[in-house]
Amino acid sequence: MNSTTTTTARGRIALTALALGALVAGGAAVTTGTANAAPAGAISVDGNWEPGSAHARLKLAPDADVGPVPGGLAGSDVPAIAPDGTEIRGLQSDPWSGLAHRRGDNQAMRSTGGVQAQGGSYVDILANGARLRASVPSGRVLAYGYRNSTAFVGCKIPQGPYTWGWMSLYTSGGWRSGWMRSDLWEVEQSTGPGGGGTGYVPWC
């Protein structure tokens, strides 16, 4: 083998090594870019599209307690089951009638001649279409709450991974009592017929 042949062979080896190095580097770049790419987006709890956000990455499945119910809402003959076991049907003229039926409240009601002395916490609804249920956790849906809805919560109970609030929700026809998951509302202030309060929602 002469010197010219040796030089040519070495040149080919060098070019091959450079080509392989470029392929490896390119593959690493593609892999890294794919791993760091943000997801295209997802539907959030209130039905809004949130591309690439942390909330969107976590909120990939439809929420069982937000949005329209196939077949529509339950009728006024379907009762909400209050914390004390009372069945409350239809609409009330004020929020306090429904909130009165917390555990242990009936005796207080009788001793005061039916005067509702206890109030509830004014809450903001956090999701459009938040479902108000007749019972926890999968009772019939009685009404929907929206971000501009007026609602009061009297007490709460634990059920599975969530807590649920016993609520009076204002609808177009009047106040409807029922249960709503606590991550779908937040306390604005505690109030009642007498006003005042701290914003604390007690356990039922």
Side-chain angles (χ1 to χ4, degrees), residues 37-200:
I43 299 297
S44 72
V45 69
D46 58 359
N48 293 323
W49 187 256
E50 300 184 3
S53 69
H55 182 73
R57 289 197 290 273
L58 295 173
K59 204 68 184 177
L60 298 177
D63 196 307
D65 286 290
V66 177
V69 180
L73 297 173
S76 59
D77 59 320
V78 175
I81 309 302
D84 65 0
T86 301
E87 295 186 351
I88 301 179
R89 289 179 170 82
L91 301 172
Q92 293 85 50
S93 59
D94 62 74
W96 320 119
S97 300
L99 296 184
H101 295 282
R102 294 179 286 193
R103 293 187 184 121
D105 280 1
N106 282 348
Q107 181 60 46
M109 289 285 286
R110 286 193 293 270
S111 66
T112 57
V115 176
Q116 168 60 359
Q118 303 202 35
S121 295
Y122 177 79
V123 299
D124 291 327
I125 305 297
L126 301 180
N128 288 325
R131 296 176 181 178
L132 184 74
R133 293 188 177 275
S135 58
V136 173
S138 55
R140 298 281 300 278
V141 179
L142 307 175
Y144 302 120
Y146 297 91
R147 290 184 182 275
N148 61 347
S149 297
T150 301
F152 293 87
V153 172
C155 62
K156 59 188 177 183
I157 62 171
Q159 176 66 43
Y162 301 104
T163 57
W164 294 73
W166 175 242
M167 176 182 289
S168 283
L169 174 70
Y170 188 76
T171 69
S172 58
W175 295 91
R176 190 71 156 113
S177 298
W179 296 93
M180 186 179 289
R181 222 172 63 196
S182 63
D183 61 323
L184 301 177
W185 50 265
E186 66 180 3
V187 175
E188 180 69 23
Q189 63 181 9
S190 180
T191 186
T198 62
Y200 171 73

